[in-house]
Amino acid sequence: MKKKIAIIGAGIAGLTLGNFLQKNSDYEFIIYEKAEKLNLEEGFGIQLAINSVSILNQIGFRDLNKTDSFNPKTLDFYSNQHKLCHLDLTQFNTETEKYTTLKRSSLIKFLKDRLFSNVFRFNKTIETIEHEENKIQIKFTDGVAEEVDYLVVSDGVFSNTKKILENEKTKINFQGAFAVRTIISRDNFDILDKENISLLMHPNTHLVLYPLNKDEYNFVALIRNKFGVSDHENKEILNKILKQNKLNIIFDKELSFWPIYKSHKPAISKYKNIFYLGDAFYAFLPTMAQGASQSIEGANELFKLLEKNINDLQELYFEDRLKRVKTI
């Protein structure tokens, strides 16, 4: 009899795992998402390292339309308008795996389109979770109940599912910084090399710009400040940094800032058949540009262990993920 898996959260981690599970006839799975539908309009950028590109290629990523992504050649470091040095990203590339930048929504669409539509359940919020012997009973707020063999929690750093299961282990820390992201067009800024990733470093602030495709660029600003300050104050700091670097950027949208949080040390679930994945396992700071890549790597690691159908797979998965987090 096939084993049933519930995946909570239709982000990069959950969708990647779903794509791999769809290739294995030993499992039935459903992806539960609290939103009404997947947001394919949000265009914030992500960076994919070679390891994650290699994994995605197993499910057809190399067939992604070339106009939907970019392969920057270097990471350029700047300080006070001067280029300090650069990291050659091409040294890590192969003929089929290259460091890639793209919109998060483009990757979400790619992963979604390869899954059967009947594996999705939208407008789903968990009310209770009960563990009985080797089965997990999930009750949703709409009154629907499901019984599964495995539960994969991939609903982000503020995971409601994790809070229901293990409230004492869900604390996250404010990192004393705020972030803003937006998309700008190629013609709306100057000075920097538009073919590369540019990192501008300043005391308590840094900016990152990189191409998402031939026409659009991702803009990220990280500003160290105390909790509770206004968007106006953070914008004043940002404008000062832009002026110092002679970056005449035209923003198409109103900018808003949000606080940056970091996970505590990853914790293993007290239940043997429950797994945390992506940001629900550990949320990396945006300065490391590893969120998407580690969601993909973690999904691949979990799938490989599920394929082996071994008794201690939870411990092995946790050990592998913890080792990788510490390495990064």
Side-chain angles (χ1 to χ4, degrees), residues 50 72-75 86-94 97 99:
I50 308 306
K73 292 182 172 59
T74 68
L75 168 58
H86 73 268
L87 173 64
D88 180 10
L89 298 174
T90 64
Q91 65 181 307
F92 307 110
N93 292 346
T94 69
E97 287 94 26
Y99 199 96

Side-chain angles (χ1 to χ4, degrees), residues 22-202:
Q22 191 166 264
K23 299 164 57 177
N24 188 317
S25 60
D26 292 335
Y27 293 98
E28 292 180 0
F29 70 95
I30 296 294
I31 300 175
Y32 298 93
E33 170 59 43
K34 67 179 180 180
E36 294 182 1
K37 61 180 181 179
L38 293 184
N39 184 1
L40 301 179
E41 302 300 323
E42 181 270 296
F44 297 149
I46 56 174
Q47 301 180 45
L48 298 179
I50 308 306
N51 287 349
S52 54
V53 172
S54 175
I55 293 167
L56 289 175
N57 279 347
Q58 298 175 41
I59 52 176
F61 186 69
R62 60 170 58 91
D63 297 327
L64 183 75
N65 193 319
K66 300 303 180 185
T67 61
D68 291 333
S69 64
F70 201 86
N71 302 121
K73 292 182 172 59
T74 68
L75 168 58
D76 299 332
F77 295 85
Y78 292 86
S79 180
N80 297 322
Q81 306 174 43
H82 300 294
K83 182 177 176 179
L84 303 177
C85 61
H86 73 268
L87 173 64
D88 180 10
L89 298 174
T90 64
Q91 65 181 307
F92 307 110
N93 292 346
T94 69
E95 189 170 334
T96 55
E97 287 94 26
K98 298 180 181 180
Y99 199 96
T100 300
T101 54
L102 74 165
K103 290 182 179 179
R104 181 181 183 276
S105 55
S106 295
L107 179 57
I108 291 290
K109 184 177 186 303
F110 161 81
L111 294 168
K112 169 186 172 290
D113 288 349
R114 279 155 177 75
L115 291 168
F116 299 127
S117 59
N118 63 354
V119 305
F120 291 99
R121 302 288 186 275
F122 293 100
N123 289 312
K124 289 292 187 179
T125 301
I126 293 177
E127 183 176 314
T128 61
I129 300 173
E130 296 182 3
H131 198 277
E132 297 179 4
E133 296 182 356
N134 294 320
K135 298 290 185 178
I136 300 168
Q137 308 288 337
I138 307 171
K139 184 179 179 181
F140 296 91
T141 54
D142 60 3
V144 174
E146 299 286 354
E147 182 180 85
V148 297
D149 299 286
Y150 296 107
L151 174 63
V152 178
V153 180
S154 59
D155 53 351
V157 61
F158 298 105
S159 173
N160 181 63
T161 312
K162 195 172 184 179
K163 183 177 181 180
I164 292 172
L165 285 165
E166 303 168 77
N167 186 49
E168 74 279 5
K169 298 179 181 178
T170 61
K171 294 181 180 178
I172 54 176
N173 292 329
F174 171 60
Q175 293 298 292
F178 290 79
V180 60
R181 291 182 179 181
T182 190
I183 303 298
I184 56 179
S185 70
R186 186 182 187 91
D187 298 327
N188 280 356
F189 75 102
D190 51 19
I191 303 298
L192 304 175
D193 188 330
K194 297 183 181 182
E195 300 296 307
N196 301 327
I197 303 172
S198 298
L199 171 59
L200 291 77
M201 300 176 294
H202 287 265

